[in-house]
Every structure is written in C-alpha cells, then in structure tokens.
Amino acid sequence: MNAIAASEIKTLRLSIYRYDPLKQEKPYMQDFDIDIPTEKDLMVLDVLMLAKEQDPSISFRRSCREGVCGSDGLNINGKNGLGCITPLSDVAKSNKLSIRPLPGLPVIKDLIVDMKQFVDQYKKVKPYLITDKKVDTREAIPQTIEEREKLDGLYECIMCGCCSTACPSFWWNPDKFLGPAALLQAYRFIADSRDTATEERLEQLEDAFSVFRCHGIMNCVSVCPKGLNPTKAIGEIKKMLVKRAL
Amino acid sequence: MAMNGKGTFLDASTLPVKEFDGIIVGGGGSGMMASLQLAKSGMNTAVVSKVFPTRSHTVSAQGGITCSIQSADPDDDWRWHMYDTVKGSDFIGDQDSIEYMCKEGPEAIFELENMGLPFSRTEEGKIYQRAFGGQSKDYGKGGQAERTCAAADRTGHALLHTLFQANVKAGTNFLSEWFAVDLVKNQNDQVVGVIAFEIESGEPYFLKSKATVLATGGAGRIYQTTSNALINTGDGTGMALRAGFPVQDMEMWQFHPTGIHGHGTLVTEGCRGEGGYLVNKDGERFMERYAPNYKDLASRDVVARSMFTEILEGRGCGPDADHVYLKLDHLGPEIVHKRLPGVTELSKRFAHVDPAEHPIPVVPTCHYAMGGIPTNVHGQVISQNPDGTDKIIDGLYAAGEAACVSVHGGNRLGGNSLLDLIVFGRSAGLHIEESFKAGIKMDDPSSDDIDYALRNLNRVNVSQSGENFVEVKKDLQKTMQMNFGVFRTEELMENGIKEVSDLRDKSQNIHLADKSSQFNTARVEALELLNLIEVAEATAISANERKESRGAHSREDFPDRDDENWLKHSIYFSDTKQVSKRDVNFRPKQVQAFQPIVRTY
Ligand SMILES: Cc1cc2nc3c(=O)[nH]c(=O)nc-3n(C[C@H](O)[C@H](O)[C@H](O)COP(=O)(O)OP(=O)(O)OC[C@H]3O[C@@H](n4cnc5c(N)ncnc54)[C@H](O)[C@@H]3O)c2cc1C
Ligand code: SF4
Ligand code: SF4
Ligand code: FES
C-alpha cells in the first residue's frame, strides 16, 4: 500500500478488555492508538485486527467478516453487536472506542466467552424439525408461500449470542430461562407448517422459568444484528401457552 | 519431556489419545453431511472443527443449490444439468462423478428439505428455483434453465444450520474449536488419524480413527482479494500435501465476477439470475458483446475476464476506473428487497448503496478452488503410482471444496458447490459405513510416525526467534494476487514461483512469540500460514505447468485450449514439486460421454 498522507489519518484510542485467567488475577483494559485512514469507514473488526498486529496476543473470534457466521458478538462501547458489520462511524465517540466481551458469560480469554450455556439452552428446545407428515424421499413436504413467509424473521438467526447476553433475565438464570435466542428458535419450529410437534414443544415450555421469565424489556430486539425480534416470538409462544391452559 | 501446548516439546510417549470410528475434520456442509450419515448408522463419530460448526464458511453461500428437482420445470432432466456441468468444466470434469452428482442430487435435496431446510416456495408449494449462470435446457438447445434451489439468498445459512440441527438430533460428537495440525500415517502409508489440539486449553491429542475425512473447505486466503472467510486457509489441503499425497488441478481458481469493490465480499450470481446486469462507465451492458446468447449469465470465468477486459481497456467505473457496476435498481424495491435481502444488507454495509436505488460497484474476487485433494465418487483419496495409475489411500477421505472429485473441472457453475458438498459428503459417509461393516484392519502407528506428525506443532511451539508470520502471509497474498490472477503469463508466474519459494523458506522459520496455552489464536494463525504456503505453491507450479488456457486458467502466452496435450488433470506432489498428468474420466455409466466442443455462451 502507498503511504497515506498524515492529513488523511486520524488516531483512534481503542481500549480492549484483556484477561488470561492463567496469567492474571483480574481483567484489565489495555489501550491502543490505532491509525485509521479516514476515506474508508472501517468496521470494528478491522480495528481489532489492526490492534492484533501491534499485539498478536489479543484473542477474539472471527470468521466470515460479513455478518453471517455469528463469531464476533462483542460489547462495543456498551452495546452488543457484531464487530465485522459495526462501522466505526456508528459507535466511536470522540475517537474513543472500548471493546469488551459479551456480558454475562464466563470469559475464557480476552474477548472470548464460553458459549456453552448459550448452546445448551439452544439444544434444549429441540431445534430440529419433528414431523409425522408422510416423508417421501422423492419429494418435498409441501408448504405454501404464505406458510413459508411465517419463518421469515425466525430462521435467519446466526447464534451470535448478542441478544441473550443483553437480557437481564438470562444473566440471572442462564440455566433455567432459555433466553431470547433459544426461544426464537423454539418458535421457528412451532411456526413451521411442516412441524407437527407443537404440543410437545409447548408442554416443555410451560414451566415458570423457560419462557415466563421474559419481561419484555426488548434489549434483545435492540441489539440483534440481523434485525430479528425475539420478543415478538416469545409473545407468540406466551399467547399459545395461555390459550392452551384455558 | 513434559508435554502440553505451552511451548514445550511434544512426543508420542505422552500424547493422549482419543479414539473414534470416524473422524471428520470440518464442520461445514460437506463435513456435517458425512458425519450425519455416520452418526445415523450408530458409529462413534467426531466432527473436529476449528470454529463452532455454524461459523463455517458454508454459512456464507447465498444464491442456492443447483439440482434438477423438476420444480420450476417439470420436464427438467438431470442429464441436462450434467451436460451444463461438463461444458462448464471446460471438459476436464470427471464425467462419472458429474453423472453421480446430478443423478443422486434430487434425493439429497429432498432429504435436506425433509430435515427442515426452509427453502423458498413456488405458488404450488414446491421448492423455489432460480436461474444461474451456465444453465441450459435440452443440452444447451432449449435456452436458459431455472435450476438453482434457494432459501431467499441465504441458502448456505439455511443449509448449514439445518445440518447442524440434524447432527444435534443424531448425537454427533463435536470437537468444536479444535485445530487439526497434521495427518498420522502408519508404515503402510495408511492414514490412522490426526494430531489436533483443543484451542481453548491448548492441549494436543492424537485423534485415532480408521477413517479420517478431510472436509476443511477452501483456501481463498492465498489471495489478497477474496470472497472467502478469514478461516479459509486450505488446512486439509496442506495436511494432505505434507503427508505426501498429491493435489489435483490446483491452477484452477474461480474468480467470482461480483465481489464488492474494495472489500471482496460477494453478491450472489442470483442477482443476475433475478434480472440484474453489469454495465461499464458508459452505462453499456457490455456482456452483450462477449456472450450474445447468455449475456450476464455466461459462465463465471467468461464474465470475470470480460469485466477485466473492460477495466483494462479504460471503460471501468469510479475515479480509478477499476471496477464496473452491477445494476439492480431497474427491478424495483419489491423484487430486490424480497428476493435479495442479504445482498441488500451487504451492499448497504460494504458499498454504502441500496441496490434498489443505485448500482453496486463490483470487481472479480477470488472465490472457489476447483482443484483439491483427488478422490473417487466414494470420497476415497487417490494418489498416483509411479506408472501414472491411481492408488487409493486407505483410511483417508476428502469431501467438499477441499476435495477434487472433479465435478467442477476447470470452472465451477454457480450452485454446484453446495450440491457437491451434500452428495459427496453423503457418499463418503456411506462408504465408511459399509467398510466398517465389512471390517477394516489397520496397523497402529509407531511412535516415530506420531512424532513425525507432531513436527510442525513442535517447531512453532519451541521457536525462539524468526520470521513474523503475519508479514509472510501478507507477502504471500500479494504475490499470488499479482502473479496468478485472472490473466496469467509465464514471466509473471516464474517470478511468482520464485517469490513463493522464498516465502516457503521463511515459513520454515517463523516465530511464535506468544506461547500461552489458553485460546492462543496466534498459534492457530501461524499453523494456518504453513497450509497457505502449501496451497499457494501447488497453485503456482501447476499454473505455470499447464501451458494452455482452459476454464478459469487463462494465459496470454497460450490463449487457446489445447485438447491434444491438456485434456487432463494436473497432479502435483509437494515433496518433488513435480506436476504430472492424470486422465479425465469420460466413462459415465448411464449416458454417452459428452465430447469436448468449443465453449461459447
Ligand atoms: C460468499 C460465498 C457465496 C457462495 N455461494 C454459493 C452458492 O450460492 N452456491 C454454491 O453452491 N456454492 C456457493 N459458494 C461456495 C460454497 O459455499 C463453498 O464451496 C462450500 O460451502 C464449502 O463447504 P465445505 O464443507 O467444503 O467447507 P466449509 O464450509 O468451508 O467448512 C470447512 C470446515 O473445516 C473446518 N476446518 C478447516 N481447517 C481446519 C483445521 N485445521 N482443524 C479443524 N477444522 C478445520 C472449519 O472449521 C469448517 O468447519 C459460495 C462461497 C462463498 C465464499
Ligand atoms: S424481551 Fe425478554 S428475552 Fe428480550 S431481553 Fe427482555 S427479558 Fe430478555
Ligand atoms: S436472535 Fe439475533 S442476536 Fe440473538 S443470537 Fe440470533 S442473530 Fe444473534
Ligand atoms: S465474523 Fe462472522 S459475523 Fe462477524
């Protein structure tokens, strides 16, 4: 690359949460000064990679760098989001940016959290099609355009964890309250015209914790990088549970 | 000596062992299709993946999966799909494999649908299919076909999540965030497992198995500009080469026409399938000149070269005249936002335009490796005897983009990769299952065999000084981009080969400064570099050796296809750095072979 003239560069003060449990007793924030070319709107992930060139020991997850794999859920200036599709211009305030791991989950190292609880809750909702419709391996189970449209806004979840780790109910009861991501997934199968296990699924959700711990705070909706609406899905499940109880 | 991932020397005597019936290295579409097959048959199966499976690159596939399921057209025929694929491959795709894929495809698609994959639908409630490049009816005589099954423009996501879910249901073991380093071979040249470490703890293991499947995906990161994820570093390919096995057709890299300018991220060919087209700075729809019949839906190599020609001849767009425009705005927001929601999102993010209002600036981007580890239709890895005949490697399988069963030959058609993943992922699984039933006998590896497989991990772990691997990687990407791009010449390539060879020397002496054990991503990146180097060198040497232009491999000094000498696969071994030839299969079982014709669109 050609050298960029000084006038086209601004310096970003980046604070990164650092923690290696084998080496440090407590986490700390480490500051980096990163030169940012102004003609391009870099993403937060780009900036993290620039910091990693200065200090290769910084650990964070990344894969697709285009917002579809769900690797880099981070807490960016206090709000959860994906590093790779969050433009600096949206989040950096007076050239300052601080990046922490997703809140509420155990930290393995630096920006890497242990996703086990999150994935366990996902697995609990039987996240796969259960159907007793005649399955002929020579054809598709029929579904109309309208029936299929009911899955829009549900199936696109990338399991990034931004929502559940922004949800106070999940922080307090991560083993009992399923959390927005798992509940969205539960509803994705309830809403699928091909799935015939609605009764079984609802039965599993009817206890006091699994669903009803959601108080509609909507944190999940405001952070979802895919624009999904777990609160609405949870509302639909609640409605079905109430109707069923009558 | 003490052994752990913490910077000390490892040896066989203290290395813990985990044993499985089948090990699948790779949790993308191909890996999880293979593992599903094995898990359903009750075998003790492990999927080893360096990222949580749904973070694999398959998740990025947008446009769809091509297959003649006769939904858009009840008269569609798998033989037409086969014809298109053979032609698209520029006639070096193996016709037995292509036949198998096109014929078995529909069953695999319906299996996925039955598993829950949320395909888009037609008015009749069937799976929606869209037009993609290089698709025809009636052996090229009946015009454009619509054969690509789609879940909006998020087909890869829908497919990968569905497969993950099915594997959860089937009880597959996931060694998630584990990094496979090298294959372990016994004295009879049989593969008996891999060396891998758990990234979280840094603890290394010998994962032992009678069947190891390499499903490690692509290696687009050998280039500077690519549509590929940051993790696509050709690890399986590197492992195979280091173990002394060959790779095939590594000169064949597909450059996808529509990468977002300045970023490399892709917008799907489905954009053009839905009626979008490319224009130059004069607003001219230039593909009408290069491919009068199929225009913007000509095969990818043809479109990418046409775009570069426009740019080189000064008709590019933008201040530097270094890209062209993909126009979608004439379709109206309804179609653009409904059928192409993912593209709309990417375009707003990375090109800062809403495609329903403004054209997207695009430039060809390195996208897909047609070449890879050669296999037969059962996924069994093939090596070459000194006399040029095939030799099956016991215990080793490959599937997906890492493999070269050669359905794509010199150029892959859109939507054919996802089909390749599921058809051959499944066939590898089936073959392993049957071999197990029949009983497999294999000798254990000696400690020397295991120590040999540990050498790279050890070298990186104990390095005290040496090259900065980030710099070596950047230099490698630069030289590949410069010297092995869309147009190639001997002069450029010889220069490139020299540079790559120097970088290989440097890579033998890289320094890992951070020796920490816990989630050390620098260690992972250092080991990935060794694989990038293997893949890049295989590409460089094979490309210079193939003295013709075919498919994606386009040489200015040899502009024509040379069927007399090069209607062949190239086979490359890393230890000798020699390229030999292998016959292309022209013996499909149920149809007459398609003979080479001049490829026009
Ligand atoms: C942007 C984009 C869009 C595309 N769109 C389409 C499309 O519409 N239709 C189509 O047919 N094709 C498409 N393709 C191509 C297709 O998506 C890929 O070829 C295909 O998904 C590759 O799948 P795979 O199973 O071979 O590998 P991947 O999905 O790449 O998976 C590789 C796996 O291997 C694991 N792995 C790799 N190395 C190691 C290691 N050392 N240790 C442990 N694990 C390892 C990874 O963790 C990962 O799980 C697209 C590609 C791109 C880049
Ligand atoms: S709406 Fe419910 S699930 Fe979402 S953040 Fe609030 S409590 Fe959590
Ligand atoms: S619902 Fe949204 S925020 Fe939550 S895991 Fe899925 S994609 Fe991420
Ligand atoms: S890296 Fe894949 S979502 Fe950000």
Side-chain angles (χ1 to χ4, degrees):
Chain A
M1 256 220 305
N2 298 329
I4 303 166
S7 61
E8 293 168 9
I9 290 185
K10 67 176 183 219
T11 304
L12 178 82
R13 170 53 67 93
L14 178 66
S15 286
I16 300 179
Y17 177 102
R18 302 297 311 265
Y19 183 47
D20 183 341
L22 293 184
K23 289 192 185 153
Q24 290 116 20
E25 259 170 41
K26 284 202 308 252
Y28 63 101
M29 298 300 288
Q30 186 182 0
D31 288 346
F32 294 86
D33 285 328
I34 312 277
D35 289 344
I36 310 279
T38 47
E39 84 278 3
K40 250 181 156 181
D41 196 6
L42 292 191
M43 300 291 162
V44 169
L45 177 65
D46 298 324
V47 179
L48 270 178
M49 294 203 288
L50 289 173
K52 195 172 167 69
E53 286 184 11
Q54 290 183 22
D55 180 350
S57 73
I58 307 170
S59 291
F60 50 88
R61 295 187 174 101
R62 84 286 183 276
S63 171
C64 71
R65 58 84 177 88
E66 56 185 23
V68 288
C69 77
S71 293
D72 58 344
L74 296 165
N75 187 265
I76 305 164
N77 268 356
K79 192 176 175 196
N80 290 355
L82 295 175
C84 62
I85 54 169
T86 303
L88 267 190
S89 58
D90 274 12
V91 285
K93 293 194 190 85
S94 37
N95 284 340
K96 284 202 181 114
L97 187 68
S98 89
I99 304 180
R100 296 163 193 272
L102 289 176
L105 294 174
V107 174
I108 296 174
K109 184 179 177 191
D110 299 342
L111 301 173
I112 294 175
V113 291
D114 187 344
M115 299 285 282
K116 186 172 180 310
Q117 283 169 341
F118 176 83
V119 176
D120 284 351
Q121 297 302 55
Y122 169 88
K123 287 183 181 166
K124 267 193 209 158
V125 303
K126 301 196 177 133
Y128 36 78
L129 195 75
I130 305 175
T131 185
D132 54 20
K133 295 203 171 164
K134 183 186 130 288
V135 175
D136 178 342
T137 54
R138 300 297 314 163
E139 57 188 75
I141 306 172
Q143 186 170 50
T144 65
I145 292 178
E146 295 71 34
E147 286 167 339
R148 169 60 184 75
E149 262 175 13
K150 297 215 167 79
L151 305 184
D152 285 342
L154 302 172
Y155 82 95
E156 302 92 325
C157 171
I158 58 173
M159 296 176 74
C160 64
C162 287
C163 56
S164 297
T165 60
C167 167
S169 301
F170 188 74
W171 293 341
W172 307 137
N173 298 290
D175 51 337
K176 291 196 204 123
F177 175 54
L178 290 167
L183 287 167
L184 183 85
Q185 205 60 230
Y187 188 62
R188 175 247 173 277
F189 287 99
I190 291 173
D192 194 324
S193 62
R194 298 169 297 173
D195 191 278
T196 53
T198 300
E199 183 50 34
E200 176 187 337
R201 294 181 189 279
L202 289 175
E203 197 176 300
Q204 198 203 348
L205 296 171
E206 72 188 345
D207 65 286
F209 269 95
S210 301
V211 182
F212 286 103
R213 274 292 145 146
C214 167
H215 301 305
I217 315 163
M218 302 266 280
N219 282 7
C220 52
V221 182
S222 75
V223 297
C224 176
K226 303 307 293 179
L228 309 180
N229 190 334
T231 313
K232 184 156 164 260
I234 294 169
E236 297 296 332
I237 298 178
K238 281 185 182 166
K239 258 194 263 168
M240 292 177 96
L241 285 171
V242 170
K243 201 160 141 205
R244 188 168 159 277
L246 291 178
Chain B
M1 197 181 274
M3 66 119 294
N4 52 30
K6 297 158 197 143
T8 35
F9 203 80
L10 313 163
D11 68 48
S13 62
T14 44
L15 193 68
V17 183
K18 279 180 189 272
E19 190 164 351
F20 298 94
D21 295 339
I23 290 173
I24 322 283
V25 186
S30 59
M32 287 209 286
M33 195 73 190
S35 63
L36 183 62
Q37 195 62 43
L38 296 187
K40 281 200 299 198
S41 68
M43 290 173 63
N44 182 16
T45 312
V47 171
V48 181
S49 174
K50 63 181 176 180
V51 294
F52 184 77
T54 60
R55 323 273 188 235
S56 304
H57 189 56
T58 298
V59 82
S60 297
Q62 301 171 359
I65 176 165
T66 304
C67 191
S68 64
I69 57 163
Q70 300 170 329
S71 171
D73 173 6
D75 298 325
D76 198 12
D77 192 317
W78 64 264
R79 295 170 193 86
W80 302 348
H81 182 197
M82 177 175 174
Y83 167 84
D84 291 343
T85 305
V86 172
K87 178 182 170 196
S89 82
D90 222 346
F91 300 94
I92 57 163
D94 285 328
Q95 298 203 12
D96 57 341
S97 308
I98 297 175
E99 175 185 50
Y100 184 87
M101 176 177 83
C102 297
K103 186 159 167 296
E104 298 299 316
E107 198 171 311
I109 298 279
F110 295 129
E111 187 182 342
L112 284 169
E113 192 282 335
N114 294 173
M115 262 180 230
L117 200 157
F119 281 112
S120 301
R121 296 287 166 156
T122 64
E123 293 291 345
E124 300 84 50
K126 296 181 181 166
I127 294 173
Y128 170 73
Q129 294 181 289
R130 62 163 56 109
F132 250 58
Q135 281 174 9
S136 78
K137 297 182 184 191
D138 198 15
Y139 309 104
K141 296 184 293 252
Q144 177 75 41
E146 292 167 1
R147 193 173 289 131
T148 301
C149 311
D153 57 359
R154 302 192 175 97
T155 314
H157 169 280
L159 184 145
L160 190 66
H161 281 254
T162 301
L163 277 174
F164 176 65
Q165 294 163 345
N167 273 282
V168 166
K169 189 177 178 187
T172 304
N173 299 303
F174 286 105
L175 301 183
S176 182
E177 302 195 316
W178 280 58
F179 188 87
V181 183
D182 264 310
L183 294 168
V184 180
K185 281 198 308 187
N186 66 16
Q187 289 300 312
N188 311 325
D189 227 21
Q190 296 169 313
V191 173
V192 290
V194 289
I195 301 293
F197 63 90
E198 183 184 37
I199 300 174
E200 179 177 336
S201 65
E203 292 300 333
Y205 289 83
F206 169 30
L207 303 179
K208 190 175 169 194
S209 172
K210 292 188 174 119
T212 303
V213 184
L214 294 174
T216 47
R221 289 282 151 183
I222 63 170
Y223 287 94
Q224 229 170 8
T225 301
T226 173
S227 65
N228 282 202
L230 294 159
I231 62 167
N232 281 16
T233 50
D235 298 353
T237 318
M239 285 160 69
L241 282 166
R242 280 193 300 274
F245 305 129
V247 287
Q248 176 169 286
D249 297 336
M250 283 309 291
E251 64 279 23
M252 297 300 182
W253 282 91
Q254 178 167 81
F255 287 78
H256 192 292
T258 53
I260 294 181
H261 174 63
H263 195 261
T265 304
L266 200 74
V267 293
T268 172
E269 184 167 306
C271 292
R272 284 168 283 139
E274 297 289 352
Y277 55 84
L278 298 162
V279 295
N280 60 20
K281 73 163 196 232
D282 306 321
E284 183 206 4
R285 185 175 181 182
F286 57 86
M287 280 312 298
E288 289 179 334
R289 266 189 281 124
Y290 296 92
N293 295 321
Y294 289 87
K295 305 188 178 84
D296 296 84
L297 285 175
S299 184
R300 286 182 180 170
D301 54 328
V302 175
V303 180
R305 276 196 292 275
S306 309
M307 290 167 71
F308 264 118
T309 307
E310 288 299 297
I311 292 169
L312 290 173
E313 291 178 359
R315 290 185 295 277
C317 306
D320 298 326
D322 60 351
H323 57 272
V324 300
Y325 281 134
L326 172 63
K327 215 172 125 51
L328 290 169
D329 48 307
H330 59 288
L331 299 174
E334 180 59 19
I335 298 243
V336 174
H337 294 157
K338 190 107 230 157
R339 298 254 176 84
L340 303 165
V343 166
T344 303
E345 215 180 295
L346 288 173
S347 167
K348 283 185 181 163
R349 282 240 159 74
F350 296 114
H352 309 291
V353 296
D354 179 348
E357 286 166 18
H358 293 284
I360 311 175
V362 290
V363 69
T365 182
C366 169
H367 183 53
Y368 183 85
M370 271 74 73
I373 306 161
T375 73
N376 61 19
V377 292
H378 307 296
Q380 292 177 287
V381 170
I382 288 169
S383 184
Q384 208 175 35
N385 291 310
D387 65 356
T389 53
D390 286 355
K391 169 179 157 194
I392 288 178
I393 304 298
D394 288 339
L396 188 64
Y397 294 77
E401 192 171 336
C404 182
V405 56
S406 204
V407 284
H408 311 302
N411 170 63
R412 169 176 78 90
L413 294 188
N416 265 356
S417 171
L418 293 181
L419 188 65
D420 169 5
L421 305 184
I422 60 164
V423 168
F424 294 107
R426 189 165 77 152
S427 77
L430 284 168
H431 192 270
I432 295 171
E433 191 184 332
E434 277 158 24
S435 314
F436 255 76
K437 280 192 197 131
I440 307 176
K441 263 210 146 74
M442 260 186 208
D443 292 340
D444 279 343
S446 67
S447 0
D448 283 354
D449 295 333
I450 295 175
D451 287 343
Y452 185 70
L454 280 167
R455 70 198 183 284
N456 281 311
L457 187 56
N458 273 328
R459 185 152 52 80
V460 169
N461 278 349
V462 302
S463 62
Q464 290 304 324
S465 64
E467 301 287 339
N468 175 340
F469 58 84
V470 179
E471 294 304 320
V472 178
K473 176 158 83 181
K474 281 190 182 166
D475 289 347
L476 181 73
Q477 291 168 333
K478 208 185 290 170
T479 185
M480 292 306 291
Q481 189 80 19
M482 290 293 298
N483 300 308
F484 302 94
V486 170
F487 290 111
R488 299 168 174 178
T489 65
E490 179 146 319
E491 197 189 335
L492 282 175
M493 289 192 286
E494 290 203 326
N495 176 46
I497 290 172
K498 215 186 127 294
E499 286 181 15
V500 172
S501 162
D502 291 347
L503 290 166
R504 168 190 279 280
D505 293 345
K506 287 189 177 175
S507 77
Q508 298 300 306
N509 181 35
I510 47 174
H511 178 216
L512 176 69
D514 174 12
K515 301 284 198 298
S516 63
S517 52
Q518 197 98 340
F519 227 109
N520 184 339
T521 52
R523 174 180 289 125
V524 169
E525 286 181 36
L527 290 165
E528 284 174 343
L529 171 70
L530 302 182
N531 298 318
L532 288 170
I533 292 271
E534 291 291 352
V535 175
E537 193 164 37
T539 298
I541 293 176
S542 308
N544 194 33
E545 206 58 41
R546 186 180 283 276
K547 301 207 180 338
E548 64 158 353
S549 290
R550 179 185 302 272
H553 179 63
S554 177
R555 294 186 60 148
E556 286 175 3
D557 43 359
F558 296 94
D560 298 322
R561 196 172 80 186
D562 175 2
D563 284 345
E564 205 161 307
N565 295 302
W566 278 107
L567 193 60
K568 298 277 182 200
H569 295 298
S570 70
I571 291 280
Y572 167 87
F573 286 92
S574 166
D575 38 10
T576 58
K577 302 208 194 325
Q578 293 293 318
V579 175
S580 55
K581 293 178 184 175
R582 179 169 172 246
D583 286 341
V584 173
N585 181 292
F586 280 92
R587 294 181 311 278
K589 295 205 170 73
Q590 302 191 0
V591 295
Q592 290 256 309
F594 297 104
Q595 296 305 324
I597 49 166
V598 177
R599 203 163 139 257
T600 52
Y601 284 97

